[in-house]
Amino acid sequence: MGATRKIDIFDTTLRDGEQSPGASMNTEEKLVIARQLLRLNVDIIEAGFPISSPGDFESVRRISELAGYDACVAALTRAVEKDIVVAADALKYAKRPRIHTGIGVSESHMRDKLHLTPDETVERGVAAVKCAKRYVDDVQFYAEDAGRSDYDFLARMIQAVVDAGATVVNIPDTTGYSLPEEFGRRIKHLMDNVRGIEDVTIAVHCHNDLGMATALALAGVANGARQIECTVNGLGERAGNTAMEEVVMAIRMHEQELDAHTDINTREFTKASRLVSTITGMNVQANKAIVGANAFAHSSGIHQDGVLKRRDTYEIIDPADVGAGESRIVLTARSGHAALKHRLEELGYSFDAEKLDELYEAFLNLADKKKEVYDEDLESLVNERDREDGALYALESVQVSCGSPLKPTATLTVRDPEGQLVTACEWGTGPVDAVYKAVDSIVRVDNDLTEFSVQSVTRGIDALGEVTVRVKAADGEMHTGRGADGDIIVSSAKAYLNALNRLMAGKR
Ligand code: KIV
Ligand code: ZN
């Protein structure tokens, strides 16, 4: 396998990403993210648009100091002298400064936004590059809305700015309009028609309006681009930009076909994603590629069985490679025996086939009521089975009616030590009191209930509730009982019966 082209990763989370509605950040927050970008080992950090606000100016200045020689720091400008002067000032302390200047090149941008002819647009672009060159060596030119521009005019514009000294030419699909193949052809057209293009870097900057920002960037790379502009979590104007984690992992998976690699430390992706999401308040969808909560979670029985036999049956990326820990087997009503057995073993339990079948049935009952069965639920299930094994009195059913202004009433059926079903109906001060009175009328054993507490086993409204009770026997000895169920009235009945069973077992 031959050496592949190095693709520069230009992160614009702090500039285009910040243009996401509701995602604005203050300077301190931008510095926190910039530190994480350095840990990711990005090549270029676009730190802001200095003329746009004093805050942006300050962010560019402080990130310039922070980055040192570790990353190039870019500042955005329009093709306007004042913007360029201010950007140069903000970049004063950068060891590797880059001015990112440019102008709209599509027919509609020139005619309706800029009111310029194509000739005037080229003139402005060239003047901006020449102006920026007075302050820094590294000047990147963006041809805004290149994705909808005329092929030959774009080549003319790029030729002019390359001749003027641009070191990087950025070809944005500003509106996310292009199809990947067509965008690739556009890059190839520049590779074939701009003199000296081999001495500059072509960058691609793609938006996700049709959900293709990653595919567009890859098409650019396949046709000669050597820099990708992207953001953490795909943050950015409207539907966002190419997501760094996606495009970098796609390149890593297909290095030879694309003749490309990056120097990104992919193990920092999960941390970067969470940090950006926390700071901006922009949640990451659960099924987001690479960094979504479900990116490495397996829920269906068939998939779980496959992954447990060999991870890559259903996973192309080792979650550890993106800092996401391990694959997650999500226990739900669709999980099979294999997944349950595996998780129980990880929790330290091992059961024979018969016991496992019993537990699987109890698990399915619970999973039908809950979206996801957590480890704590499994522990509770196992303990519940242990409590039921060999119990003198076992709960068969319980029903209560309560509320205001009803009188709380419980109807309870228990299997007694002779295997007979016995039913009692009682009322009390509340539903639990009514249930306990019904238990007392069947299990006639002297005791004092001294403690009663309910705790949620896991999170969420559908969590199991675990009830703990303590009863004092006539001889003064204390006995504890526990019961767990999705319904806390059932948990309460089970807990009390468990305590009484233990009291009677002690007596015997
Ligand atoms: O989308 C775009 O065209 C941009 C440029 C300023 C690079 O963000
Ligand atoms: Zn953009």
Side-chain angles (χ1 to χ4, degrees):
M1 276 196 279
T4 53
R5 287 174 304 153
K6 156 80 191 305
I7 305 299
D8 288 342
I9 296 298
F10 176 115
D11 179 89
T12 182
T13 307
L14 302 177
R15 199 279 297 167
D16 210 320
E18 207 213 10
Q19 287 173 218
S20 281
S24 65
M25 301 167 238
N26 62 34
T27 301
E28 292 308 323
E29 291 168 333
K30 285 188 181 175
L31 280 161
V32 172
I33 292 179
R35 282 191 197 97
Q36 182 61 24
L37 295 174
L38 292 174
R39 282 191 281 271
L40 279 163
N41 202 29
V42 303
D43 300 281
I44 305 109
I45 298 175
E46 186 165 46
F49 183 10
I51 191 93
S52 68
S53 72
D56 253 39
F57 182 94
E58 180 65 2
S59 302
V60 173
R61 194 183 66 76
R62 299 220 12 222
I63 292 169
S64 296
E65 287 173 336
L66 174 79
Y69 288 103
D70 293 340
C72 166
V73 178
L76 188 79
T77 82
R78 293 166 297 179
V80 171
E81 184 171 1
K82 177 173 70 183
D83 286 28
I84 296 169
V85 172
V86 173
D89 193 23
L91 288 168
K92 199 160 56 190
Y93 300 110
K95 295 280 189 272
R96 294 170 53 201
R98 178 181 292 181
I99 291 179
H100 187 193
T101 190
I103 195 162
V105 298
S106 64
E107 214 180 293
S108 83
H109 274 234
M110 291 188 283
R111 188 189 56 225
D112 304 326
K113 188 179 90 171
L114 302 163
H115 308 297
L116 292 176
T117 64
D119 287 350
E120 287 166 340
T121 306
V122 173
E123 229 172 81
R124 280 258 194 116
V126 168
V129 169
K130 286 188 174 160
C131 175
K133 280 299 252 197
R134 292 208 291 272
Y135 299 95
V136 294
D137 289 335
D138 194 3
V139 174
Q140 172 169 329
F141 175 82
Y142 64 86
E144 196 181 5
D145 205 16
R148 292 189 298 172
S149 66
D150 174 80
Y151 270 49
D152 290 330
F153 177 69
L154 180 63
R156 181 182 156 205
M157 176 91 236
I158 297 303
Q159 183 68 67
V161 295
V162 168
D163 292 343
T167 44
V168 181
V169 288
N170 178 14
I171 311 302
D173 186 23
T174 304
T175 56
Y177 168 77
S178 305
L179 289 173
E181 268 200 13
E182 189 278 321
F183 190 66
R185 271 201 303 280
R186 188 177 283 283
I187 302 300
K188 177 138 187 359
H189 186 73
L190 297 176
M191 292 294 286
D192 293 342
N193 291 283
V194 176
R195 280 183 323 281
I197 194 77
E198 56 291 348
D199 299 327
V200 302
T201 299
I202 295 187
V204 282
H205 174 113
C206 303
H207 278 269
N208 206 31
D209 299 67
L210 293 174
M212 293 191 290
T214 299
L216 289 166
L218 292 172
V221 166
N223 284 280
R226 282 191 292 122
Q227 176 177 302
I228 296 173
E229 309 208 354
C230 50
T231 58
V232 174
N233 295 339
L235 211 61
E237 189 81 47
R238 304 181 311 281
N241 290 67
T242 301
M244 187 198 302
E245 58 279 2
E246 292 175 13
V247 79
V248 167
M249 290 316 288
I251 289 175
R252 186 189 263 209
M253 299 275 102
H254 297 280
E255 273 191 17
Q256 296 303 319
E257 295 112 287
L258 290 167
D259 176 27
H261 71 272
T262 73
D263 283 349
I264 293 295
N265 176 4
T266 63
R267 289 180 175 261
E268 292 291 330
F269 276 150
T270 304
K271 216 162 107 198
S273 165
R274 292 195 184 139
L275 185 69
V276 168
S277 167
T278 307
I279 288 180
T280 59
M282 304 281 286
N283 289 336
V284 175
Q285 73 198 58
N287 61 332
K288 164 86 180 61
I290 320 292
V291 292
N294 291 348
F296 301 100
H298 305 273
S299 161
S300 90
I302 295 171
H303 285 219
Q304 291 178 339
D305 185 45
V307 167
L308 290 173
K309 285 178 176 143
R310 201 185 142 111
R311 192 188 55 74
D312 61 13
T313 315
Y314 285 103
E315 265 181 13
I316 56 165
I317 294 169
D318 183 342
D321 287 348
V322 295
E326 291 184 349
S327 325
R328 204 160 61 88
I329 299 290
V330 183
L331 291 177
T332 68
R334 289 171 306 286
S335 300
H337 273 79
L340 179 66
K341 181 165 181 274
H342 171 81
R343 195 68 204 129
L344 285 169
E345 281 171 2
E346 281 186 340
L347 293 173
Y349 298 106
S350 119
F351 297 109
D352 61 26
E354 195 186 333
K355 179 86 179 170
L356 191 70
D357 282 347
E358 274 177 31
L359 272 170
Y360 185 64
E361 214 171 295
F363 159 77
L364 280 186
N365 271 333
L366 177 62
D368 269 341
K369 293 180 204 144
K370 290 188 90 219
K371 277 195 194 141
E372 184 175 342
V373 177
Y374 301 105
D375 290 351
E376 298 88 331
D377 296 320
L378 285 185
E379 303 256 12
S380 222
L381 268 190
V382 170
N383 292 338
E384 198 57 48
R385 306 303 296 181
D386 282 350
R387 287 193 282 269
E388 281 169 13
D389 279 352
L392 291 170
Y393 289 87
L395 180 72
E396 280 293 321
S397 66
V398 59
Q399 210 177 356
V400 295
S401 65
C402 60
S404 178
L406 284 181
K407 196 177 214 174
T409 312
T411 308
L412 180 100
T413 302
V414 163
R415 189 172 293 276
D416 73 8
E418 278 74 50
Q420 302 297 315
L421 293 180
V422 192
T423 299
C425 184
E426 294 286 343
W427 64 268
T429 52
V432 175
D433 185 48
V435 167
Y436 282 21
K437 284 199 169 113
V439 171
D440 284 337
S441 74
I442 298 171
V443 185
R444 293 173 182 280
V445 56
D446 229 4
N447 79 87
D448 232 353
L449 180 69
T450 60
E451 263 179 62
F452 174 92
S453 64
V454 194
Q455 216 182 351
S456 162
V457 172
T458 53
R459 52 203 170 274
I461 191 77
D462 58 0
L464 279 185
E466 188 170 72
V467 171
T468 305
V469 298
R470 277 168 72 75
V471 298
K472 191 174 182 183
D475 59 8
E477 204 167 323
M478 300 299 296
H479 299 272
T480 302
R482 285 206 175 82
D485 197 273
D487 179 330
I488 57 165
I489 297 297
V490 178
S491 315
S492 305
K494 284 179 173 177
Y496 191 40
L497 276 169
N498 179 236
L500 298 186
N501 279 328
R502 295 178 77 172
L503 185 160
M504 288 181 290
K507 257 193 190 167
R508 282 180 174 191

